[in-house]
């Protein structure tokens, strides 16, 4: 009997652990956008990593652009096997680019969208995956929401998806046509992130204003329709010319080579602010809110998105924090190699450090990769990062070689992070 009691106690403890681990998902489900066109090994690994922490994936499967008024559809080929293995639920997302086309039931533009949706559902089902939802992502002009309603009606009638949803912009909330638009769908995703491009290098910018976001969410909840809140886990590169004037924006991929004197700034969603906003939603879910959608899925090597440690901390209900440290490690050449590492779970801009030691003399020192090493006393050095933004952010777990130091004898070195 004692063996049975012990067994049941272990079962109950294991069940409690599972319930605790999934509490966030149960209270207000988390979802993640898989927005990549190419399903690389890194994307597959991210889907596998995130699957246990996410209620669903919203997967980009087609993108429609318009050239000379004609639809050009790019098909994305997800790894259906990976989704079957790791996704609890899948929504297929068809992205429709800006267009002034009409959405009459038999117009060429409507037929193009219907065809893309029909083919996406067919491809998933042929691969053995039954989608839970079809989602349209179309940034319509606010003045044309009534016309967009016609498109939703046509898609529902022709495609008959299991569930039809759409992404929406905050500006739409002020339109008299918005209520009619979302009435044609089974739900909508409210995107509360966008970037107002700064005119100059000195101008402030933000990807998501929590104060505005809270107001938008409250207005969405008052409409009485099922909705989700899309929160940002990504950013942009902002490029400024030699006069400090905004020049370009980069959203994905490797940075371009810009002329000498141009400045790059990163506008990444503030992990602490967004985590606090998500925590409020989880603690007190708004009426009719079905969950939080994270844009976009963290992928190894994507410096314009949060890393997985950052999103994982947020999903646990924690505030991600950076923890920068400078290490002085003996190298084979006899010098001390200076490296800066981020031991926290949030990205951070590189910062300056003061190095100090006793009973040794500095023979030589220098910086690497734009970092500066300056002697400030007989036993102190100042290690400073390059000009603002030129080295990007230091991501969780990342280590960067920043310089070297040669002393005339071994000494214990203390590194102090400067504000």
């Amino acid at each position: 009997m004692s063996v049975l009691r012990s067994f049941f106690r272990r079962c109950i403890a294991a069940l409690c652990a599972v319930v605790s681990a999934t509490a966030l998902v149960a209270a207000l489900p988390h979802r993640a956008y898989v927005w990549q066109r190419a399903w690389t090994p890194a994307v597959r690994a991210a889907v596998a990593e995130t699957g246990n922490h996410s209620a669903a994936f919203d997967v980009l499967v087609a993108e429609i652009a318009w050239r000379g008024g004609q639809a050009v559809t790019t098909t994305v080929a997800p790894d259906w096997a990976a989704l079957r293995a790791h996704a609890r639920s899948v929504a297929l997302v068809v992205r429709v680019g800006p267009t002034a086309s009409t959405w009459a039931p038999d117009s060429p533009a409507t037929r193009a969208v219907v065809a893309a949706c029909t083919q996406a559902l067919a491809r998933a089902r042929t691969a053995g995956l039954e989608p839970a939802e079809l989602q349209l992502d179309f940034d319509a002009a606010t003045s044309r929401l009534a016309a967009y309603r016609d498109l939703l009606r046509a898609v529902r009638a022709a495609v008959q998806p299991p569930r039809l949803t759409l992404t929406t912009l905050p500006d739409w909330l002020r339109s008299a046509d918005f209520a009619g638009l979302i009435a044609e769908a089974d739900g909508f995703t409210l995107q509360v992130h966008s970037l107002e491009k700064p005119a100059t290098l000195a101008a402030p910018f933000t990807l998501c204003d929590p104060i505005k976001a809270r107001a938008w969410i409250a207005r969405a909840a008052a409409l009485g329709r099922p909705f989700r809140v899309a929160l940002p886990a990504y950013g942009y590169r902002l490029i400024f010319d030699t006069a400090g004037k905004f020049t370009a924006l980069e959203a994905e991929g490797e940075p371009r080579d810009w002329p000498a004197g141009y400045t790059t700034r990163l506008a990444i969603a503030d992990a602490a602010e967004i985590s606090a906003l998500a925590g409020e939603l989880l603690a007190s879910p708004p009426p009719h809110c079905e969950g939080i959608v994270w844009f976009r899925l963290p992928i190894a090597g994507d410096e314009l998105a949060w890393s997985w440690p950052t999103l994982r901390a947020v999903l646990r209900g924690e505030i991600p924090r950076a923890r920068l440290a400078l290490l002085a490690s003996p190298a084979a050449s006899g010098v001390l190699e200076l490296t800066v590492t981020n031991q926290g779970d949030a990205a951070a801009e590189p910062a300056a450090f003061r190095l100090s030691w006793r009973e040794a003399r500095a023979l030589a020192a220098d910086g690497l990769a734009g970092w500066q090493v300056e002697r400030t006393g007989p036993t102190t050095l100042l290690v400073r990062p390059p000009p603002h933004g030129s080295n990007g952010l230091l991501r969780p777990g990342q280590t960067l070689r920043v310089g070297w130091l040669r002393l005339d004898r071994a000494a214990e070195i203390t590194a102090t992070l400067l504000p």
Side-chain angles (χ1 to χ4, degrees), residues 80-81 83-84 87 90 92 121 123-132:
W80 301 111
L83 290 172
R84 288 198 310 271
V90 172
L92 304 183
L121 286 167
R123 287 190 290 124
R125 288 163 175 162
T126 298
L129 187 146
E130 180 58 38

Side-chain angles (χ1 to χ4, degrees), residues 70 220 315:
Q70 301 297 312
L315 295 183

Side-chain angles (χ1 to χ4, degrees), residues 179-310:
L181 175 69
I182 59 175
E184 295 297 333
D186 298 303
F188 66 98
T189 296
L190 178 65
Q191 176 182 308
V192 297
H193 50 91
S194 63
L195 180 68
E196 294 184 9
K197 301 170 186 176
T200 66
L201 183 60
F205 54 82
T206 183
L207 197 60
C208 178
D209 183 333
I211 295 176
K212 291 181 179 179
R214 293 183 185 100
W216 294 331
I217 292 168
R219 290 174 66 179
L223 294 170
R225 297 290 295 162
F227 77 104
R228 303 175 189 130
V229 178
L231 295 180
Y234 74 105
Y236 297 100
R237 296 186 197 92
L238 308 179
I239 314 300
F240 300 86
D241 65 16
T242 54
K245 182 180 178 181
F246 177 79
T247 301
L249 178 147
E250 295 178 341
E252 295 180 70
E254 293 296 320
R256 286 177 51 189
D257 288 329
W258 293 95
Y262 277 53
T263 302
T264 299
R265 296 285 301 275
L266 292 181
I268 304 291
D270 186 287
E273 287 187 351
I274 301 303
S275 178
L277 179 57
E280 292 175 14
L281 295 173
L282 291 167
S284 182
H288 313 291
C289 185
E290 295 184 321
I292 296 172
V293 193
W294 295 97
F295 184 86
R296 57 193 182 258
L297 185 70
I299 304 295
D302 183 358
E303 73 166 30
L304 293 180
W306 288 357
S307 63
W308 170 240
T310 302

